[in-house]
Amino acid sequence: MGQAAVAERLRASGVRISPSGVRYIWQRHGLETAVKRLQALADDGADALTPDQQRLLERGQLSARLAQVKVAGDATPGKTSATGAEGEGLSRHELILHVAAERFAAHGYDRTSIRDIARSVGLLPGSVYHHFPAKEDLYLAIHREGFRRVLERVKAAAAEGSDPWDSLRRACQVHVAGMVEGSPVDRITGHSLAMIGDHTLYDKIIDARRAYEQVFRDLVAALPLAPGVDRALLRLTLLGAMNWVSVWFNEGKRSPQEIADVMVEMLKKGVAG
């Protein structure tokens, strides 16, 4: 129940309190969101929640977990930000994108259904179809959003470089970090940079991919290189190496930033003794 409904229920039972008074009490006890109140009820006993309340709690917990990996400032334009007025986490649109990206990354496009995604989000399949008419639309929306986010971050990072090599290094840091540490949307977009099995789907994201690769084309074009170096092959070699990091990355050894630094340093200085 919301604060107004609680105040009305209390007034009907003889307790005079305003909605803002209810919220003040909730805040004092760490119960200011519906998810926190449901968790408190759940802690009182396994059978304290109805099935609908349990689904709402699970959705809120998932939303909070996804919000932790959501990069600040990358909310979808026109959508609710990661933390709303009641602190309930991601908007339904964003939540569907994140959960779908997780399932596509874990199980593949063909082995993931809208029903699977809806179950993970805590919605009925019809609610997912309300936002995305088909699975293909959802898959493409994930990639477009992912490309938009990484394009903004890479451009901003490169602009802070002190010279062409430093700009490339900073851009590569963002790219590799997104591949292994980013949100599910970031990770699946990065994976598609390396490979995608469905060429029909690939053709529909090619413009977004080309816009992103143009950033690296410009960065490589600005490098002071030896005469005769094939800049296109150099760019493709670097992108291919970075895209493969997600396959062999082992947390606890080199950080994504360190990996990017070493890759660029090897390109710059070479590896011959």
Side-chain angles (χ1 to χ4, degrees):
M1 298 174 66
Q3 60 195 43
V6 170
E8 181 65 28
R9 180 74 65 87
L10 288 173
R11 283 197 295 270
S13 63
V15 179
R16 296 177 58 83
I17 188 170
S18 67
S20 60
V22 171
R23 183 161 183 80
Y24 172 73
I25 293 172
W26 279 345
Q27 289 174 328
R28 287 195 61 184
H29 294 276
L31 300 171
E32 66 273 14
T33 71
V35 173
K36 290 181 178 180
R37 296 193 290 279
L38 287 170
Q39 185 61 63
L41 287 174
D43 291 342
D44 282 341
D47 58 348
L49 300 182
T50 67
D52 286 343
Q53 289 173 331
Q54 184 62 41
R55 283 192 292 270
L56 179 59
L57 175 59
E58 290 172 356
R59 178 184 170 188
Q61 292 169 333
L62 176 61
S63 178
R65 177 168 60 84
L66 294 175
Q68 291 176 354
V69 300
K70 184 175 174 64
V71 179
D74 67 355
T76 305
K79 302 296 179 183
T80 306
S81 62
T83 304
E86 281 266 334
E88 299 298 344
L90 303 179
S91 71
R92 180 173 293 185
H93 181 97
E94 291 174 311
L95 187 60
I96 293 171
L97 282 180
H98 278 71
V99 171
E102 279 191 330
R103 294 201 65 89
F104 286 141
H107 305 288
Y109 178 78
D110 292 332
R111 293 193 299 274
T112 299
S113 69
I114 290 294
R115 185 174 298 277
D116 294 330
I117 295 168
R119 187 182 302 112
S120 297
V121 179
L123 299 173
L124 294 174
S127 298
V128 177
Y129 284 121
H130 174 73
H131 291 270
F132 303 97
K135 184 172 72 168
E136 177 180 305
D137 297 305
L138 177 53
Y139 190 76
L140 294 174
I142 291 169
H143 283 78
R144 293 190 183 106
E145 174 63 10
F147 278 121
R148 182 192 68 79
R149 294 180 188 181
V150 71
L151 183 62
E152 290 180 357
R153 295 199 296 268
V154 165
K155 280 185 174 181
E160 296 178 356
S162 57
D163 58 59
W165 282 106
D166 188 44
S167 294
L168 179 64
R169 180 182 63 81
R170 291 171 181 268
C172 291
Q173 286 181 342
V174 171
H175 183 103
V176 176
M179 293 278 295
V180 299
E181 294 181 339
S183 71
V185 173
D186 296 322
R187 294 197 299 273
I188 196 171
T189 302
H191 182 265
S192 80
L193 291 172
M195 62 189 70
I196 185 168
D198 191 320
H199 292 288
T200 302
L201 290 175
Y202 174 83
D203 290 342
K204 294 181 179 181
I205 63 169
I206 189 63
D207 289 341
R209 173 171 175 159
R210 284 173 176 166
Y212 180 70
E213 290 189 348
Q214 184 62 46
V215 176
F216 283 90
R217 187 176 284 106
D218 294 340
L219 290 170
V220 171
L223 296 175
L225 300 178
V229 171
D230 189 328
R231 293 177 185 265
L233 189 54
L234 178 67
R235 169 178 54 84
L236 293 172
T237 299
L238 178 59
L239 284 172
M242 291 193 296
N243 291 338
W244 206 248
V245 172
S246 61
V247 176
W248 54 258
F249 179 73
N250 190 347
E251 189 172 359
K253 293 186 177 181
R254 293 183 188 270
S255 70
Q257 292 75 18
E258 290 171 337
I259 292 170
D261 289 348
V262 171
M263 286 182 170
V264 173
E265 193 69 9
M266 287 192 295
L267 286 179
K268 180 180 181 180
K269 295 183 176 180
V271 294

